[in-house]
Amino acid sequence: MLQSDVRTPEIPRTPSVDDFIKSYFKNNLHIVDVRASRGVPLLLTGRSIITDQNLFATEREMMHDPLYAHAANWKLRWWAGVGFFAGTSLWALALQRTSQEGPFQASEMQALAFLPTRLTETATLSKAVGRQTLLAATNALDLVQKPAIALSRQGLVLEFNSAASRIFNDEIRVSNKRLVFRDREANRALGAFIDRSRSTSDAAALSVLPIVVRRENSAPVVMQIMPVDGAARSPFLGARALLILNDLGSARNADPRLLRQIFDLTVAEARLAPLIAAGASPEKAAEMLGIARETARKQLKSIFAKTDTHRQSELASLLSRL
């Protein structure tokens, strides 16, 4: 099955054409595929099935085409494409025949005519199920306040959660379905990953180091690249990676109720501890809580004792693990 605009080595195929398809991509024939340049416009104008006769005036012209000349090495000559849609994306079920089998006949074209509607229904459903799988993953991460962005093999943004949208600005944003950073080094690193993704098997592990996105007026964002599994990897959706962003400039305060339960803090201490852990001085925290500075200092001393910490950085490290 071939997508009309972007073809990748992981296209679904039967074993009988596996070697030919591997060579097709290795020799970059997917870039100059005449079936796409001439056949796609025909499918978009209403034809449901196309053959070699729709692409070439003569068989001689056909055999001089680079793709067909290459296919002859596998004794493949004749071809038919059954057009169908996965949502709004055009695909074709590509059927190859040997020289001996001959071109597709009118009766065989009629037999194939029932496929486009059924393939469209199946592919569209597969794409929808894959998208729901992605949504489930990004929504689950949203519940724990983790920004997450799903990317396709081509590097297009498929989904992002609310936590991700909250950190978007002129330094990290989505433009034309692409994730863009002001940090040039981060842009290069993401581009290198996408280039690898295009040419790497879906079965291969994503051994990618986290990408650090540096910002001018706030702490960096550290982006982990995780693989996507299950229905989201359907060829009709093409999800490849889930980006999980850790905003080092975001102060996620621990729940005061949890602090009281774990460390036996008082209500007042449980309100003060997250502020101190987030970097506020005792004086600033006292001002924020509307209490006396001396009161804040006494409460902080008690917090250190109950949490077995001795300084602000230790308390911050402890609470961050909650």
Side-chain angles (χ1 to χ4, degrees):
M1 289 186 285
L2 298 169
Q3 194 168 358
S4 62
D5 53 352
V6 178
R7 284 163 297 284
T8 69
E10 297 305 312
I11 58 173
R13 56 186 180 265
T14 60
S16 59
V17 291
D18 191 52
D19 290 339
F20 166 60
I21 293 298
K22 288 178 181 177
S23 180
Y24 169 81
F25 284 101
K26 183 178 180 181
N27 290 278
N28 292 322
L29 291 168
H30 62 292
I31 299 173
V32 293
D33 193 335
V34 66
R35 300 171 301 183
S37 60
R38 298 184 183 180
V40 168
L42 295 175
L43 292 173
L44 289 174
T45 55
R47 284 181 180 267
S48 58
I49 302 172
I50 54 176
T51 65
D52 310 300
Q53 288 79 5
N54 301 124
L55 306 179
F56 302 100
T58 66
E59 186 176 341
R60 179 182 177 84
E61 180 194 0
M62 180 181 82
M63 292 313 300
H64 277 83
D65 179 82
L67 172 61
Y68 282 76
H70 188 76
N73 295 323
W74 283 266
K75 299 180 179 180
L76 298 173
R77 176 173 295 187
W78 307 102
W79 176 85
V82 180
F84 66 97
F85 286 86
T88 59
S89 302
L90 175 63
W91 285 71
L93 173 63
L95 305 172
Q96 296 283 169
R97 274 188 166 174
T98 64
S99 304
Q100 291 76 15
E101 289 171 320
F104 287 84
Q105 303 300 314
S107 59
E108 294 168 321
M109 301 284 284
Q110 291 176 358
L112 294 173
F114 80 97
L115 282 174
T117 299
R118 288 162 176 77
L119 287 171
T120 292
E121 291 171 351
T122 304
T124 299
L125 178 60
S126 174
K127 188 172 185 177
V129 170
R131 192 168 291 280
Q132 286 302 312
T133 302
L134 274 188
L135 280 171
T138 56
N139 287 344
L141 288 164
D142 211 25
L143 291 175
V144 292
Q145 301 177 45
K146 277 289 186 182
I149 303 170
L151 290 189
S152 73
R153 177 185 286 277
Q154 289 75 41
L156 299 179
V157 174
L158 297 173
E159 298 288 347
F160 57 83
N161 60 16
S162 298
S165 66
R166 287 194 290 271
I167 68 170
F168 289 161
N169 52 31
D170 59 344
E171 294 187 298
I172 301 176
R173 69 187 191 279
V174 174
S175 177
N176 295 323
K177 296 186 177 181
R178 297 274 180 183
L179 183 60
V180 181
F181 309 123
R182 178 182 289 177
D183 180 351
R184 293 182 180 180
E185 187 59 36
N187 266 330
R188 281 194 289 270
L190 181 60
F193 163 72
I194 292 169
D195 288 342
R196 280 181 52 197
S197 176
R198 289 194 184 105
S199 58
T200 304
S201 167
D202 280 343
L206 287 177
S207 54
V208 184
L209 292 174
I211 295 175
V212 178
V213 185
R214 304 193 182 281
R215 299 181 290 183
E216 289 185 2
N217 299 314
S218 56
V221 170
V222 179
M223 185 171 69
Q224 277 187 293
I225 302 177
M226 309 295 290
V228 170
D229 285 320
R233 284 170 70 164
S234 154
F236 305 115
L237 181 62
R240 176 60 169 153
L242 194 64
L243 311 181
I244 302 176
L245 285 67
N246 184 17
D247 183 359
L248 301 184
S250 173
R252 291 191 295 272
N253 292 336
D255 187 338
R257 294 170 299 179
L258 187 61
L259 298 181
R260 292 173 60 193
Q261 181 181 352
I262 296 174
F263 301 112
D264 197 27
L265 301 184
T266 66
V267 173
E269 291 166 351
R271 292 174 60 205
L272 176 64
L275 298 179
I276 297 297
S281 66
E283 292 75 19
K284 180 64 176 178
E287 181 183 337
M288 295 169 69
L289 294 173
I291 60 177
R293 294 182 180 182
E294 187 59 33
T295 300
R297 291 193 186 95
K298 288 181 180 178
Q299 291 176 357
L300 180 56
K301 184 177 180 180
S302 176
I303 291 168
F304 283 154
K306 292 179 180 180
T307 59
D308 195 25
T309 56
H310 302 87
R311 55 180 64 89
Q312 194 167 347
S313 60
E314 290 181 10
L315 180 62
S317 177
L318 174 65
L319 298 196
S320 71
R321 294 196 291 273
L322 299 181

